[in-house]
Amino acid sequence: MKKRHLQKLMLTSLILALAFNLPLLLIFNSEAAIFGIPKILFYVFSLWAASAIVSLIIIQKYND
């Protein structure tokens, strides 16, 4: 894998670390629900799914 592809994965990891930071998580900590799921759980699992998809795309597209 080339260096620029590793950099893309590192950038993805950095964005996720910032997205899972406690002050940002507390913004979504409320009683409201989206599709019957509390907002904080929807946020966490949406980020998790999005990160898995983005990582998969980067690895499959750029794996040499």
Side-chain angles (χ1 to χ4, degrees):
M1 192 176 279
K2 295 182 182 178
K3 186 176 180 179
R4 69 176 184 256
H5 309 312
L6 292 175
Q7 290 173 346
K8 289 178 184 178
L9 289 173
M10 288 299 296
L11 181 62
T12 304
S13 299
L14 180 63
I15 291 170
L16 282 174
L18 293 174
F20 284 121
N21 199 357
L22 185 61
L24 192 57
L25 282 174
L26 290 176
I27 292 173
F28 294 98
N29 191 16
S30 68
E31 295 294 324
I34 301 173
F35 303 119
I37 304 169
K39 278 175 54 175
I40 192 164
L41 289 178
F42 187 79
Y43 174 74
V44 168
F45 287 115
S46 296
L47 279 177
W48 172 72
S51 69
I53 291 169
V54 167
S55 298
L56 181 68
I57 290 170
I58 291 171
I59 289 171
Q60 283 187 344
K61 186 174 181 183
Y62 299 114
N63 196 12
D64 294 331

